[in-house]
Amino acid sequence: MPERFVGRSVPRVDARAKATGEALFPGDFSMPGMLHAKILFAGRPHARVLHIDTAEAEAVPGVVAILTAKDVPVNEYGLQIPDQPVLCGPGSSKPGADVVRFVGDQVAVVVAETEEAAARARDLIRVEYEDLPVITDPFEALKPDAPQIHEYRQPSEIHPEIRTEGNLICHHQIRKGDVDGAWSQCDVIVEGQYRTPPQEHAYLQPEAGLAYIDEEGRVTVVVGGQWTWEDQHQIAHALDLPPEKVRVVYPAVGGAFGGREDMSVQIVLALAAWKLRRPVKIVWSREESIIGHCKRHPMWFRCKWGATRDGKLVAAEVQVVADGGAYCYTTNKVLGNVTVTCTGPYEIPNVKVDVDGVYTNNPPSGAFRGFGAPQAIFAAEMQMNKLAEALGMDPVELRMRNLLREGSLTAMGTPIPGGVGLVEVTEQCALAAGWRRTEEGWRKPEAGGKRQGAGSEATRKRGIGIAVAFKNVGFSFGYQENCWARVELRGGAEIEEAILYIGTADVGQGSHTVLRQMAADALGVDLERVRLEVADTATSPNSSGSVSASRMTFMAGNAIRGAAAKALERWRAEDRPAIGEHTYLAPKTTPFDPETGYGTPNFAYGYVAQAVEVEVDTETGQVHVLRVVCADDVGKAVNPRLVEGQIEGGVAQAVGWATMENFIVQEGRVLTDRLSTYLIPTALDVPERVESIIVENPDPRGPWGARGMGEMPFIPLAPALVAAVHDATGVWFDELPLTPERVVRKIAG
Amino acid sequence: MLPEFELLMPRTLSEALEMLTQAREGVAPIAGGTNLVVDMRGGRHRPSVLVNVAGLEELRGIRRENGHVVIGATTTVAELLEEPLIAEAAPVLWSAARVFANPLVRNRATVGGNLADASPAADTAPPLLVLDAEVQLTSKEGSRWVPLDEFFLGVRQTLRQPDELLTAIRFPVPPSGAVGGFYKLGLRKADAISVASVAVVVEVGEDGTCRKARIAMGAVAPRPIRAYEAEKLLEGRVLTPELVAEAAHLCAEATSPIDDIRASAAYRKHVVEVLARRLLSEERR
Ligand SMILES: Cc1cc2nc3c(=O)[nH]c(=O)nc-3n(C[C@H](O)[C@H](O)[C@H](O)COP(=O)(O)OP(=O)(O)OC[C@H]3O[C@@H](n4cnc5c(N)ncnc54)[C@H](O)[C@@H]3O)c2cc1C
C-alpha cells in the first residue's frame, strides 16, 4: 500500500478547534429544560448505610428527585466483575450494596433545577452509618482473620484468577525452571525491596457529562470515556435496558490515561435522565474527581535475582503485593501485566513470580498509563542496575547480555512475538546519551558524582542512568482482541467522500488524526476526502475496543485496512455508496497456566529505553532532571510529531510520579484531594531536554508495521532516574517519589 | 461553589473607607482575590460584603519618595517584576516576585493582599522584612505606619482593624553596599507553596565587617519571622565561613515549624539552615 499520509506529521484533526476554543468537552454541553445533578459521596472509608433520610433535602425549592440505591434497577457494575454498587444504601436487590467501601462511593444523586439547589439539598441529606473496621494496609488485609471487605463474592467464569476467599482479589504465578536449585549457579545475588506509590491521573478535565433521551428514545450520555461500547453495555446492565436503548457519545475528551476506563458519572446520569425524562447535567469539581476515580496501584516488591560472573541472568524470584483498593476495577489484568513484566525484558531460565491483588478500603486502583508495567519495570530495572553495580559491569553491557531477542523465551516459557526491537532501542538510547561501545564492551559517560561549580555549588552533583522496558500492545490473556470499523465510499466515477465509522475515543493523544491518515492510505484517497464518524454508539454500534493498552493504532489500523479493502471491492462492483465493514481479530493469546504461568499472553509488544541525567542538591534533596533520551520502537511512526508528543508527555508524567506526586491517604481518607496539595509537574518542572529517538522496527502484524506506543515512554523513566541519582550520590532509592525530604534523609543515612 | 455576597465598587479611597466603616459584620476588602475567592469557595472565609479596592488610584504605583521606595498596596506581583526601581533597589524582593505563584496569578495577586492575608508562607514578607519595611494602615480617622515586623501577629492575624485598609508599603532605599538574596524551597519549580524560604540583606563595610544584617524566614513559624540572634551575631564582625555557619544555625534555632503534608518540621529546620548559610556565603564573595 503506497504511503502518502502514513509517516507524515500532518496537523491534528482537532488542532484548530482546540486552539480556538471551539471544541466542546462534556462539561460544555447544555440543553433547554436541563436539570443539574450532584452526588452525595460517602466521605467515609467503610460503613454500612443504615438509613437515608431525604425529607429535608427534598423540601429544598427546585429539587426534582433524589435517587438512592433502591432506585437502581440492577445495582452493580464493574469492568471485570460487577463488585461495585452504583449507589450504596439499603433497599437494593443486590446483597452487600448497603456498604460503602471507600470515601468515593456514591450514596445519592440529587437532581434539581439549579446546581445551587442540588448542592444545598445534597448537604441536607441525613445518612445514618454504622462504621465498620477500616483496613488500609494490604498486608493486614491478607491476614486470615482480617474482616472481609466484600462479603458476597462470586467466582468469575471468564476470569479464573479472581478469587473469592478473604480480601484476595486475584493471584498470578510463574514457575519456570527451578529457582531454588539455581541460586548455587549464581556468582552474584541481589536482593531488593521496592515500594511504588499511587498516582492520580490529574487529567485536565474533571468528570462531566450530559444525559438526555434522544429522538429515537435512547437514553444518551455525552461523556468523556475510553470505550463507548463498554460504557453503553455497563449502563444498560445497571438500568436493566437492552443496549440498543442506550447511546454513548464522546465529544472532545480532556485526557484519560486509563482513569476513564471505569465508570464515574455515566450510570447515574443515565439513570436520572431515564427516570425523569429530562436532560441532566453533571460537572465534578477537582476534589470530587480526585476521590471519585481510581489511582495507579501502589505496589510492594520483594526481589531476589542472581547472575553469573559474566553477567548472564540465571534466576529471578519476585513477590508482589498490590493494593487494589475497594473494588476490583482492572486489578486482575493490571497484575497479569505485572506478572509478565516484573522480571524485565530479559531471557531468564529460572523464574518464580507470585503476585497478589488485595482489597482494602483505599480508593480503588485501576488502569493508568503502563497498566502495571511502570511498577514492575521499576523493580526489575532497579534489580538490573544493582546487579550491574555488584558485578562491576556497565549497565548497558549487562542488558545487552540478557535482552530478549527474536525467538527468545519469555518468563511464560513461550517465544516473544516477532519483531523484537529491544537491542536496537537500548543501543540507540545509550549512544545518544553518551555511552561508548569499546573493545571491552559498553562504557558509561563520565557524569557520575561530578560536582558542579565551586563554593555552595559543590553540593550539586550530576549523574546519569538508564533503563529498558517492554509492554504488551492490545488486550491479553486469552481475550480475543477485536476491533470493528466501517468504511463508506461516496461519489460517481471517483471517490468524493470516504466516511470512516469507528467507535474509538480520541482522548488527546491524537488517535483520530492517525486513523484518518491510515484510512486515506488504505483507500488511496486524499486526506481531505476522509470524514470521521467516531465515538458514537449510534453510528458505530459494534465494539472497536478501548483506547488503552497502547492498542488503538494497531487494532484500528488493521480494522480500517480490512474495511477499506472490502469497500473498494464493492466500489469496483459499482456499489454507490460502497460499504465495507470489518472486525479485525488479532492473533489468539492464552491465559496463564494457573500453576506455571506458561502461555502466550500477548500478540505484540512495544520496546523502549531511556537515559536520564539529573542534578541532585545533596543538602536540600532537590532532584532536577536535566535531560531525558528516549528511544522508542514504534514499528512505524504513522505521525512522527504525535509520537514525539506522546514521548514528551509520557516523560513529564513519569517525572511527576518519580519525583513529586505524593498521593497521601490516611485511614482511607484522601489528604491530597486538590491540585495545590497533589502536585504535578509544571512547565518549569518538565525536563528541558527530552530527546525522542523514533526507532522503526516493523511489527509483522501491525498496520504499515506500526506497533502501539502510548504507554511506553512512561515506563522506564523512574528506574533510569533513580539510577542517575545513585550515580550522582552513591545512594539507592527503593521507594518513590523522590521528594527532597526523602532524598536528604537517605543521603544523611 | 462560591457563596452569595454583595460586591461594592468604591471609586475613591475615602469611599472605600466609608464602606468599610458602614458595613455590618463580615466585610472584607478584596484586591486580586487570589486568596479570598479560593477561601470563599472552600468555605474557610464567608464575608457577606466585599469592598473591591483593586481599582483605587490612590493604592497604585511604585515610587521613590524621601529616601524610601513606596509601593501602593494594590501593586501586583507582576508589576514588581516589571519595575526597574525594584530590580535595582530591592533585588531581594524582585527575586521573590520571580518565584511567586505562576504568571497568571502574578498578574492579579497584590502585595497588599499578600501581606494582609498574613499566611506564614507569604512570599513577599521575608524580603520586605529584611528591607525594614513598614505598612500604612488607613481608616476614616487617618493613617498610621507600622513596622511590618509588628504588623504580623500570628497565622493569618495582623494588627489591621476591620475598618482599616492596607494602603501602602515603604522601605528605606538600601545603601549601595547592601546586597541580598531570596530563596524559596517549594516542592516544584513554580506554583508551589513555600516549604521554607529565606531572605537576606547585609551591608558590608570597606574593612569587610558586617555593618548591618537582616535575615527573615517564611513558612517556619506561625508568621514570617526575623532571625534576630543570627543578625546580632553577624553585625560588627567579618563574615567568615565559621561565623556564617553559626549564624545559619541560629536561624534554624529561631524557627518553630510544623509537620504537614508538604514536609516535616525537622526538614524545614534543616533547609532553613542550608539556605541561610548559602545566601550569607554568597554575600561574602
Ligand atoms: C494558584 C495560586 C498560587 C499562589 N502562589 C503563591 C505564592 O507562590 N506565594 C505567595 O505568597 N502566595 C501565593 N498565593 C496566594 C496569593 O496569590 C497571594 O497571597 C496574593 O498576594 C494575595 O493577593 P490578592 O490581591 O489576590 O489578595 P485577596 O485574595 O484579594 O485578599 C487576600 C486577603 O487580604 C485582604 N486584603 C486584600 N487587600 C487588602 C488591602 N489593601 N487592605 C486590607 N486588606 C486587604 C482580603 O480581605 C483578604 O483577607 C497563591 C495563590 C494561588 C491561587
Side-chain angles (χ1 to χ4, degrees):
Chain A
M1 235 168 290
E3 293 173 19
R4 291 173 58 222
F5 300 103
V6 167
R8 277 177 47 197
S9 296
V10 306
R12 293 170 60 129
V13 292
D14 51 350
R16 204 191 150 76
K18 282 185 176 161
T20 57
E22 272 165 33
L24 295 182
F25 293 81
D28 299 329
F29 289 82
S30 290
M31 282 177 105
M34 180 177 81
L35 299 168
H36 298 265
K38 289 276 176 205
I39 306 283
L40 175 65
F41 290 94
R44 58 183 70 207
H46 199 193
R48 191 176 303 281
V49 183
L50 298 178
H51 183 68
I52 305 176
D53 178 358
T54 57
E56 215 180 323
E58 275 167 61
V60 171
V63 169
V64 174
I66 297 179
L67 305 174
T68 62
K70 64 181 186 332
D71 302 303
V72 189
V74 180
N75 194 11
E76 59 170 30
Y77 74 100
L79 199 48
Q80 296 291 313
I81 50 169
D83 62 346
Q84 183 167 9
V86 176
L87 294 172
C88 299
S92 160
S93 56
K94 167 118 176 162
D98 56 341
V99 174
V100 300
R101 298 177 179 82
F102 82 108
V103 288
D105 257 326
Q106 304 183 16
V107 174
V109 192
V110 183
V111 190
E113 299 288 346
T114 64
E115 216 184 329
E116 292 72 19
R120 260 202 33 236
R122 176 200 52 203
D123 297 342
L124 291 173
I125 298 174
R126 307 261 171 271
V127 185
E128 199 185 319
Y129 288 104
E130 172 197 85
D131 279 320
L132 299 170
V134 175
I135 315 167
T136 58
D137 175 348
F139 293 93
E140 289 297 315
L142 278 176
K143 288 184 178 162
D145 56 345
Q148 197 160 330
I149 292 170
H150 290 265
E151 284 171 273
Y152 305 92
R153 300 189 58 184
Q154 299 287 328
S156 165
E157 265 173 45
I158 347 169
H159 308 296
E161 70 279 10
I162 290 185
R163 300 304 181 88
T164 54
E165 67 274 13
N167 292 315
L168 185 65
I169 300 175
C170 63
H171 174 81
H172 295 288
Q173 65 180 47
I174 290 180
R175 300 289 181 269
K176 179 191 179 197
D178 170 19
V179 166
D180 294 332
W183 301 122
S184 59
Q185 304 158 37
C186 301
D187 299 310
V188 176
I189 292 173
V190 166
E191 294 187 60
Q193 288 186 36
Y194 308 99
R195 155 118 225 243
T196 62
Q199 186 177 24
E200 153 62 22
H201 303 82
Y203 21 68
L204 273 175
Q205 174 209 23
E207 287 74 359
L210 173 72
Y212 60 92
I213 311 295
D214 77 357
E215 59 285 354
E216 295 193 24
R218 291 173 292 213
V219 57
T220 302
V221 185
V222 180
V223 69
Q226 299 183 223
W227 188 356
T228 46
W229 186 91
E230 177 65 29
D231 283 13
Q232 177 196 21
H233 282 72
Q234 287 195 57
I235 295 167
H237 175 78
L239 268 56
D240 204 13
L241 291 174
E244 322 65 89
K245 294 298 278 180
V246 177
R247 177 180 172 192
V248 172
V249 183
Y250 296 162
V253 180
F257 310 114
R260 294 193 208 270
E261 246 193 345
D262 295 275
M263 300 292 92
S264 55
V265 299
Q266 288 89 333
I267 298 175
V268 287
L269 269 183
L271 178 69
W274 184 251
K275 290 227 178 230
L276 302 172
R277 316 305 289 181
R278 282 178 69 182
V280 182
K281 179 176 179 167
I282 195 165
V283 179
W284 277 3
S285 66
R286 181 60 69 181
E287 291 85 336
E288 290 174 317
S289 173
I290 289 182
I291 64 155
H293 72 252
C294 67
K295 303 289 164 273
R296 183 184 293 288
H297 287 77
M299 293 189 196
W300 288 255
F301 294 85
R302 209 179 253 284
C303 308
K304 180 177 176 185
W305 291 32
T308 60
R309 199 166 296 112
D310 58 357
K312 277 305 273 178
L313 292 172
V314 176
E317 185 173 347
V318 185
Q319 286 162 280
V320 188
V321 171
D323 182 355
Y327 297 100
C328 180
Y329 285 58
T330 41
T331 291
N332 55 323
K333 300 293 186 192
V334 168
L335 295 187
N337 261 6
V338 167
T339 309
V340 169
T341 52
C342 71
T343 48
Y346 306 110
E347 183 153 26
I348 311 177
N350 305 288
V351 176
K352 182 177 178 195
V353 175
D354 286 278
V355 182
D356 288 338
V358 188
Y359 281 128
T360 66
N361 295 118
N362 291 321
S365 303
F368 197 144
R369 199 178 202 166
F371 210 66
Q375 298 97 310
I377 290 291
F378 178 70
E381 291 298 89
M382 288 294 292
Q383 286 292 107
M384 283 300 274
N385 284 328
K386 288 182 183 178
L387 263 175
E389 185 189 37
L391 287 161
M393 189 178 280
D394 181 273
V396 172
E397 183 61 34
L398 175 63
R399 286 176 172 84
M400 287 302 176
R401 295 182 187 196
N402 294 284
L403 282 171
L404 293 165
R405 291 165 165 82
E406 294 296 331
S408 296
L409 292 189
T410 64
M412 288 69 65
T414 53
I416 181 127
V420 189
L422 282 163
V423 170
E424 253 177 290
V425 293
T426 308
E427 272 182 10
Q428 293 209 29
C429 174
L431 288 172
W435 260 264
R436 285 172 304 121
R437 206 191 322 231
T438 70
E439 300 272 290
E440 301 88 57
W442 288 84
R443 283 277 163 278
K444 192 169 81 61
E446 294 300 326
K450 216 163 79 187
R451 286 160 181 246
Q452 296 301 309
S456 65
E457 304 270 300
T459 57
R460 285 171 207 159
K461 296 184 179 175
R462 289 194 176 184
I464 189 166
I466 196 163
V468 184
F470 75 140
K471 188 205 165 279
N472 63 296
V473 170
F475 291 169
S476 319
F477 315 123
Y479 176 89
Q480 175 57 64
E481 252 291 32
N482 64 91
C483 181
W484 172 91
R486 170 190 163 107
V487 168
E488 204 176 294
L489 304 176
R490 301 194 172 176
E494 61 170 301
I495 300 173
E496 280 157 26
E497 186 182 42
I499 309 171
L500 171 64
Y501 294 91
I502 193 159
T504 58
D506 192 324
V507 292
Q509 84 282 42
S511 61
H512 289 162
T513 304
V514 165
L515 302 191
R516 191 157 171 251
Q517 288 174 265
M518 293 193 293
D521 277 359
L523 292 163
V525 302
D526 280 351
L527 206 53
E528 294 68 39
R529 304 244 160 137
V530 182
R531 183 155 71 80
L532 298 175
E533 280 290 342
V534 285
D536 182 345
T537 57
T539 52
S540 296
N542 296 310
S543 176
S544 303
S546 172
V547 276
S548 61
S550 301
R551 67 185 283 287
M552 207 33 104
T553 302
F554 187 108
M555 295 298 297
N558 279 321
I560 289 168
R561 284 197 350 181
K566 288 179 188 169
L568 285 175
E569 207 181 293
R570 299 312 312 155
W571 179 267
R572 285 188 291 270
E574 305 280 328
D575 276 10
R576 296 293 180 274
I579 294 170
E581 226 180 276
H582 184 68
T583 297
Y584 169 69
L585 298 179
K588 285 201 183 323
T589 61
T590 67
F592 296 118
D593 176 274
E595 293 304 318
T596 63
Y598 181 88
T600 309
N602 295 303
F603 58 85
Y605 288 88
Y607 307 104
V608 59
Q610 277 176 358
V612 175
E613 259 184 79
V614 298
E615 185 175 287
V616 183
D617 186 322
T618 55
E619 281 188 318
T620 62
Q622 290 162 296
V623 175
H624 302 298
V625 182
L626 304 172
R627 178 186 181 212
V628 176
V629 178
C630 177
D632 195 339
D633 178 5
V634 303
K636 167 81 190 175
V638 179
N639 187 316
R641 192 176 300 140
L642 288 179
V643 168
E644 285 169 14
Q646 287 299 299
I647 291 177
E648 289 164 10
V651 163
Q653 201 168 36
V655 165
W657 185 55
T659 64
M660 72 174 75
E661 296 187 29
N662 200 6
F663 192 73
I664 305 176
V665 186
Q666 224 169 49
E667 278 300 290
R669 289 169 199 272
V670 179
L671 302 188
T672 47
D673 66 348
R674 50 195 66 204
L675 294 180
S676 56
T677 47
Y678 183 80
L679 301 185
I680 61 171
T682 69
L684 289 184
D685 299 285
V686 173
E688 255 168 61
R689 291 168 65 194
V690 178
E691 293 160 42
S692 303
I693 302 172
I694 298 176
V695 178
E696 295 186 315
N697 166 45
D699 186 292
R701 300 178 194 87
W704 291 270
R707 60 178 86 239
M709 62 79 57
E711 296 164 292
M712 308 311 156
F714 188 110
I715 303 172
L717 187 118
L721 184 142
V722 171
V725 173
H726 174 262
D727 191 35
T729 63
V731 178
W732 286 115
F733 289 86
D734 298 334
E735 208 173 311
L736 303 175
L738 267 59
T739 55
E741 182 157 3
R742 174 169 285 145
V743 171
V744 165
R745 277 179 201 277
K746 195 90 195 266
I747 288 177
Chain B
M1 263 181 298
L2 205 53
E4 274 185 27
F5 57 88
E6 197 181 338
L7 178 65
L8 303 181
M9 306 286 279
R11 277 159 304 175
T12 63
L13 176 59
S14 57
E15 240 180 72
L17 296 172
E18 187 60 39
M19 286 167 177
L20 279 184
T21 320
Q22 295 287 313
R24 307 166 304 281
E25 281 284 284
V27 64
I30 180 162
T34 59
N35 274 324
L36 196 53
V37 174
V38 178
D39 283 351
M40 287 168 66
R41 275 189 204 283
R44 288 178 299 276
H45 202 13
R46 295 189 168 276
S48 49
V49 181
L50 297 184
V51 177
N52 183 13
V53 299
L56 300 179
E57 217 26 64
E58 297 93 325
L59 269 55
R60 305 203 50 79
I62 301 173
R63 57 192 181 275
R64 196 190 262 264
E65 204 174 86
N66 302 330
H68 281 80
V69 174
V70 183
I71 300 173
T74 57
T75 300
T76 64
V77 176
E79 285 163 349
L80 290 182
L81 283 173
E82 286 154 17
E83 173 54 56
L85 181 57
I86 300 296
E88 284 156 27
V92 62
L93 180 58
W94 192 87
S95 308
R98 276 279 294 160
V99 293
F100 194 104
N102 61 54
L104 293 143
V105 170
R106 290 201 288 265
N107 285 337
R108 288 201 66 82
T110 64
V111 182
N114 194 232
L115 298 177
D117 189 64
S119 153
D123 282 328
T124 67
L128 287 169
L129 282 171
V130 297
L131 290 165
D132 287 332
E134 296 170 294
V135 294
Q136 185 187 42
L137 297 174
T138 307
S139 73
K140 253 179 74 181
E141 313 304 323
S143 278
R144 55 177 177 149
W145 284 100
V146 182
L148 183 59
D149 203 11
E150 288 167 26
F151 175 71
F152 294 124
L153 298 178
V155 180
R156 304 195 118 176
Q157 285 176 315
T158 68
L159 274 183
R160 185 180 77 86
Q161 296 301 309
D163 64 342
E164 284 179 314
L165 276 182
L166 201 164
T167 38
I169 300 105
R170 72 173 180 199
F171 53 86
V173 177
S176 57
V179 284
F182 173 82
Y183 195 91
K184 158 179 175 175
L185 192 135
L187 295 178
R188 65 181 172 194
K189 289 185 184 157
D191 220 356
I193 297 178
S194 289
V195 162
S197 68
V198 180
V200 166
V201 168
V202 290
E203 292 170 34
V204 180
E206 295 281 293
D207 59 352
T209 56
C210 172
R211 294 227 187 96
K212 180 176 172 187
R214 287 288 181 272
I215 307 170
M217 303 170 290
V220 287
R223 44 154 286 184
I225 55 167
R226 292 256 304 268
Y228 294 110
E229 298 295 321
E231 293 173 2
K232 241 185 282 168
L233 178 74
L234 297 174
E235 283 173 357
R237 300 171 74 175
V238 175
L239 300 183
T240 62
E242 295 70 30
L243 187 71
V244 161
E246 203 182 325
H249 186 69
L250 288 177
C251 289
E253 296 276 278
T255 65
S256 50
I258 54 163
D259 290 313
D260 67 10
I261 54 173
R262 294 189 178 85
S264 71
Y267 178 72
R268 288 189 157 98
K269 257 189 196 298
H270 164 80
V271 159
V272 158
E273 185 164 343
V274 171
L275 298 183
R277 197 196 67 231
R278 286 185 184 176
L279 286 166
L280 289 167
S281 313
E282 275 163 27
E283 302 330 327
R284 231 166 15 91
R285 281 182 276 128

